[in-house]
Amino acid sequence: MEDIDAIAALQDPVRRRLYEYVAAQGREVGRNEAAEAAGVTRTLAAHHLDKLAEAGLLESGSRRLTGRSGPGAGRPAKVYTRAREERTVSLPARDYRTAAELLAEAAEEAGLDTGLTAAARRRGESLRDSTAPCGDLDEAMRLLATRGYEPYAAGASDDTEEAAGAAERVVRLRNCPFHAVAERFPPLVCGMNLALLEGLLGTDGPVRARMDARPGECCVVLEASKNNEH
């Protein structure tokens, strides 16, 4: 299906609500849950969810939602997750991805990592609305949501010793706006992304950005700074 046709599938308001709910969960979602979240019947939700899967915007599968197995566990239910494939529309056609990949390849071969991260940090600083650093994690989440990172509060940090005494909350980012290029040039692009967010959020405030790559998510996470002395 053409990208423009896939995106057109979101024109229906119910279908769009269902897609946005499933996409925001970061996990498999069953028909009953999606229907309740969108405020529609299960039958209508099933129809629209399947249409979204046909359009390539969602991926579908089946599993037992009870968590049990064996006799009496019930039949597997259909579940949905956001598709990993990107969809873009440009009229007339543009190919910025190829240009970005060529520039990344040239920068990597020339060893321009330091220059790129410095430029990214400056760009982040220029995008900041004020000279003050980001005030807290909630403000950081609102800011990054507008830039397509899809932030969500993930609770405590990981189980390392350093993290144990750090932030009570960690903010993770479901979406990387540079995903396609980052897949081919991860050290270069992830370093650029971290520097961009450091500039955007500020390095001397109560929010710290750091690397913590996880499959299917952005390589950067946010947490409360351990101190604000610097």
Side-chain angles (χ1 to χ4, degrees):
M1 177 176 285
E2 295 291 334
D3 283 3
I4 194 167
D5 295 326
I7 294 172
L10 295 173
Q11 185 176 4
D12 183 284
V14 173
R15 199 170 293 174
R16 181 160 187 166
R17 286 204 307 273
L18 288 164
Y19 173 78
E20 289 175 344
Y21 178 78
V22 173
Q25 304 315 302
R27 56 173 172 78
E28 293 176 328
V29 174
R31 287 170 167 176
N32 287 341
E33 179 186 348
E36 184 176 350
V40 298
T41 65
R42 183 184 184 281
T43 301
L44 183 59
H47 167 75
H48 285 302
L49 289 167
D50 285 340
K51 289 293 184 185
L52 289 166
E54 288 174 16
L57 296 171
L58 296 181
E59 294 175 357
S60 63
S62 62
R63 67 176 177 86
R64 288 188 174 90
L65 298 178
T66 61
R68 302 195 306 268
S69 59
R75 296 173 57 189
K78 200 161 187 180
V79 291
Y80 303 84
T81 55
R82 179 169 57 181
R84 295 293 300 162
E85 185 180 355
E86 293 183 8
R87 301 285 184 176
T88 57
V89 173
S90 178
L91 299 173
R94 299 284 189 258
D95 188 7
Y96 300 113
R97 176 174 171 175
T98 297
E101 289 178 347
L102 287 170
L103 290 168
E105 184 176 352
E108 193 170 74
E109 289 178 354
L112 299 178
D113 307 52
T114 302
L116 178 61
T117 55
R121 192 171 285 108
R122 288 194 301 270
R123 174 58 64 91
E125 290 168 353
S126 72
L127 291 172
R128 213 187 302 164
D129 287 338
S130 67
T131 54
C134 197
D136 55 28
L137 285 173
D138 290 329
E139 183 182 336
M141 288 179 72
R142 291 192 294 271
L143 177 60
L144 296 191
T146 65
R147 304 199 65 83
Y149 282 91
E150 298 183 4
Y152 69 99
S157 193
D158 50 43
D159 51 19
T160 63
E161 238 181 76
E162 180 185 354
E168 289 124 6
R169 272 200 311 161
V170 165
V171 171
R172 295 193 175 273
L173 311 172
R174 284 202 177 94
N175 184 52
C176 172
F178 316 111
H179 172 73
V181 186
E183 277 194 316
R184 286 197 57 191
F185 307 95
L188 183 77
V189 178
C190 291
M192 176 199 76
N193 188 30
L194 175 62
L196 178 71
L197 293 183
E198 285 175 341
L200 184 63
L201 302 172
T203 56
D204 55 351
V207 178
R208 179 173 80 111
R210 63 175 174 86
M211 288 283 196
D212 186 14
R214 283 191 176 185
E217 292 190 340
C218 179
C219 58
V220 177
V221 300
L222 312 178
E223 63 187 12
S225 299
K226 294 188 179 102
N227 58 68
N228 296 320
E229 295 138 28
H230 55 283

